[in-house]
Amino acid sequence: MRDTILMTCGTSLIGNAGRAIGKELASSPDSLLRWLRTLDVSDKSCGAEINGLACMIEELPDTLDPIEVILYVSDTDDGILVGKVLETVIPEKFDVSKVKLVRIEGLNPKHPDTFRRRGLRNLVMRLADDVKQKGRPRCIINATGGFKVEVGLAQELASAVGIPSYYKFEFSSKGMLVPPMPVGLDIGLWLRLNKSMESLENEPLRKRDLDKLMEPICDEHDRERFLMLLEDVPLEKGDRLYDISALGELFRVLARNAFWEREVDFMPPPVSPDEKAEKVQHSNSEEHLLHFEARHGIGEKLLEIPFVSKVRSHYYKKSGWTMNRCHVKDRSEKELEVEWGNDMGLIKYILTVPKARGEEQLQAASLHISEKLKTL
């Protein structure tokens, strides 16, 4: 049974209330709440959120045992007003013990560029994070309320992460459960583009910086598809600013989830015992480096990974900071670099992955090791 309902929210409730009790009272949380309490959940004046939730609970008794409802509201005064009122009234009208309000930063239509570039991406990321935190078997998305593009993205994300979604038709008293669809996805493309897309996570890039970022993407078709996952904003003097689009964020969520579910399918083949080095090599015999390695044994643990044949330390700095990451160092030599550190020091290793077949397996190996480093 699914007990967590993730629900996109709009602001039609305020318009409905304005027509019933006047705009001034409709803008007051207390007045809006008092009016809403007088209505039955089937009354269309309640708005898409309550109508959709009521139909959903009634129509899906074998699927739902709702405990928590998470409301995703726009970054507007009206959106927050509706969210706070729903946060209060939903536990009164439904057998739900917890309602959580989430404001989606940037989801404000008065600022179209921010709405498109940040708001929709933030919605996708927050929905995906909550599904991951709660667990897919517990979640269902109600995508009845909100902007049309918001509803569409929520439904797409439901398919992306493998959970059902529900939509109530405005012209009907019934709704529709949309099961997750098996979506064909090129996980290899995600592996090849992942590092470049990660570089765009925190801030957009100008055209010249984007060109530099794309230099490692050798295949022209991959470059074209990479650009399809971005959106650009015109700047002065003909320059443009590039950022991950909402579609690009959906692609990342879907591909990342699919990769970790099938991680073993993308790993390089293991090396034979004859190919495996007996011990970690060190580029120098500095006492502090050897002491650091002896104490933590990171190199030895990396050498135990089945597809790694050699591990060589090539850098050490006494006193460091917490770090654990891996990236492709040299494609032609099939080498990865690992950086691992704490307050005692920072050490870097070169790992050889001789049987990696192409960019995809090198990137998959890098992701696998990055995840493994978190537990060391």
Side-chain angles (χ1 to χ4, degrees):
M1 299 289 278
R2 298 181 184 272
D3 61 21
T4 304
I5 300 172
L6 316 179
M7 190 159 70
T8 56
C9 298
T11 57
S12 61
L13 174 62
I14 294 177
N16 296 342
R19 288 185 287 274
I21 60 176
K23 291 184 178 180
E24 185 175 348
L25 290 176
S27 63
S28 163
D30 292 337
S31 300
L32 186 57
L33 187 57
R34 281 195 299 270
W35 170 74
L36 191 56
R37 282 171 170 157
T38 67
L39 303 178
D40 184 79
V41 294
S42 62
D43 192 318
K44 288 189 176 182
S45 295
C46 288
E49 296 75 25
I50 288 181
N51 288 167
L53 185 58
C55 288
M56 185 184 200
I57 292 173
E58 180 183 355
E59 294 172 22
L60 305 175
D62 297 330
T63 301
L64 282 178
D65 183 17
I67 295 175
E68 180 177 8
V69 176
I70 304 178
L71 306 171
Y72 303 88
V73 302
S74 61
D75 193 5
T76 63
D77 291 341
D78 284 353
I80 294 168
L81 171 60
V82 169
K84 288 183 176 179
V85 169
L86 292 176
E87 189 178 21
T88 300
V89 82
I90 284 176
E92 297 175 359
K93 291 184 175 290
F94 302 96
D95 187 17
V96 174
S97 58
K98 183 178 180 182
V99 179
K100 181 180 178 181
L101 180 62
V102 177
R103 177 179 63 86
I104 303 300
E105 186 177 351
L107 199 66
N108 187 330
K110 290 184 179 179
H111 306 286
D113 287 343
T114 303
F115 178 92
R116 188 179 69 250
R117 289 177 43 239
R118 289 294 173 188
L120 293 175
R121 274 189 64 198
N122 287 339
L123 173 67
V124 169
M125 289 189 288
R126 186 55 195 262
L127 280 167
D129 286 346
D130 285 342
V131 171
K132 182 178 180 180
Q133 180 184 353
K134 300 294 181 181
R136 288 188 303 168
R138 296 179 56 193
C139 294
I140 185 170
I141 290 179
N142 186 321
T144 302
F147 303 105
K148 289 182 179 179
V149 64
E150 182 182 0
V151 169
L153 282 172
Q155 290 175 330
E156 288 289 338
L157 183 128
S159 282
V161 298
I163 65 173
S165 63
Y166 180 89
Y167 180 81
K168 181 189 176 297
F169 301 105
E170 187 176 356
F171 54 81
S172 171
S173 61
K174 300 290 184 181
M176 179 176 68
L177 182 68
V178 183
M181 300 294 289
V183 180
L185 179 71
D186 188 347
I187 301 175
L189 175 67
W190 174 74
L191 286 168
R192 297 192 299 273
L193 300 183
N194 184 46
K195 287 296 182 183
S196 297
M197 295 192 75
E198 282 183 349
S199 299
L200 282 164
E201 272 186 342
N202 297 321
E203 60 179 332
L205 296 178
R206 291 178 180 269
K207 181 67 168 65
R208 62 178 181 275
D209 298 317
L210 181 72
D211 290 340
K212 185 176 181 180
L213 177 68
M214 292 175 61
E215 286 177 0
I217 306 175
C218 301
D219 185 86
E220 188 61 33
H221 190 40
D222 282 357
R223 293 169 70 91
E224 291 176 2
R225 290 192 284 180
F226 178 67
L227 290 173
M228 289 173 61
L229 299 171
L230 309 181
E231 60 180 347
D232 62 301
V233 179
L235 299 176
E236 295 179 357
K237 299 181 180 180
D239 201 358
R240 308 187 80 83
L241 202 61
Y242 291 83
D243 202 356
I244 300 173
S245 67
L247 176 64
E249 196 62 49
L250 266 177
F251 170 76
R252 295 179 70 202
V253 168
L254 176 58
R256 183 168 55 241
N257 288 346
F259 169 77
W260 288 116
E261 288 179 356
R262 298 172 46 202
E263 177 190 3
V264 66
D265 296 337
F266 297 92
M267 290 301 110
V271 298
S272 67
D274 293 339
E275 295 173 291
K276 179 80 76 170
E278 293 184 2
K279 60 182 181 179
V280 177
Q281 301 171 352
H282 300 287
S283 56
N284 64 66
S285 56
E286 181 186 346
E287 181 181 352
H288 293 299
L289 183 154
L290 298 177
H291 176 72
F292 188 83
E293 170 62 26
R295 176 165 184 168
H296 298 288
I298 301 301
E300 293 294 337
K301 293 171 183 175
L302 293 172
L303 190 56
E304 292 173 0
I305 297 173
F307 53 74
V308 173
S309 65
K310 297 177 184 178
V311 175
R312 171 176 57 87
S313 69
H314 74 103
Y315 174 90
Y316 175 75
K317 178 182 179 181
K318 188 178 179 181
S319 77
W321 54 91
T322 301
M323 176 183 293
N324 43 49
R325 64 189 182 192
C326 178
H327 62 271
V328 177
K329 179 70 171 178
D330 190 318
R331 291 170 175 80
S332 61
E333 297 295 327
K334 300 182 180 180
E335 290 180 342
L336 308 176
E337 183 179 56
V338 164
E339 300 170 273
W340 193 91
N342 56 25
D343 56 0
M344 292 180 59
L346 173 66
I347 191 167
K348 298 182 182 182
Y349 303 91
I350 297 295
L351 281 59
T352 304
V353 187
K355 294 191 175 182
R357 294 189 289 267
E359 175 78 6
E360 293 172 19
Q361 287 195 345
L362 282 172
Q363 294 293 350
S366 172
L367 287 168
H368 172 84
I369 293 172
S370 293
E371 197 67 18
K372 183 179 180 67
L373 289 171
K374 296 176 183 178
T375 65
L376 298 182

